[in-house]
Amino acid sequence: SMAFKYIRARLESYRYKYKKSHMLISVTSSGVSEGKSLISANTAVCLSQLKRRVLLIDADLRRPSQNGYFDVNPPYGLVDLLNMTKTLD
């Protein structure tokens, strides 16, 4: 957990230094099973512990895994939103 708190501290430092109210963070790599989802989930949790509003989007259309980390079963996915067949309302 200390590694993720370090990442959180670096992100917060960047946010204050450049006076950013919103940030977009992308976690990506070319290989499979390299920890992208785990890093994304834990970073999102660490930021939310500071009462930051966090939107975590799992854009892995072939093997999404964030719903497993957070134990949710969404009725629709990112493709439905992008195709505009569903809305966030």
Side-chain angles (χ1 to χ4, degrees):
S1 72
M2 289 306 295
F4 293 107
K5 289 180 181 178
Y6 175 75
I7 292 170
R8 177 181 71 186
R10 295 296 304 249
L11 291 171
E12 286 295 299
S13 171
Y14 175 86
R15 195 172 79 80
Y16 286 117
K17 181 178 180 180
Y18 295 103
K19 297 176 178 43
K20 299 284 185 182
S21 61
H22 297 82
M23 290 179 25
L24 173 68
I25 302 164
S26 177
V27 179
T28 184
S29 77
S30 59
V32 297
S33 298
E34 292 184 340
K36 299 175 291 288
S37 296
L38 180 71
I39 289 171
S40 301
N42 281 302
T43 302
V45 168
C46 277
L47 289 169
S48 70
Q49 289 172 341
L50 293 179
K51 306 295 185 212
R52 299 278 178 245
R53 294 179 68 186
V54 178
L55 173 62
L56 176 60
I57 299 173
D58 190 347
D60 188 340
L61 302 180
R62 292 191 179 108
R63 294 187 346 215
S65 60
Q66 293 300 332
N67 49 342
Y69 285 119
F70 294 100
D71 196 29
V72 295
N73 191 13
Y76 51 88
L78 180 60
V79 172
D80 298 311
L81 295 171
L82 294 174
N83 287 334
M84 295 183 181
T85 58
K86 301 287 183 181
T87 64
L88 292 177
D89 296 334

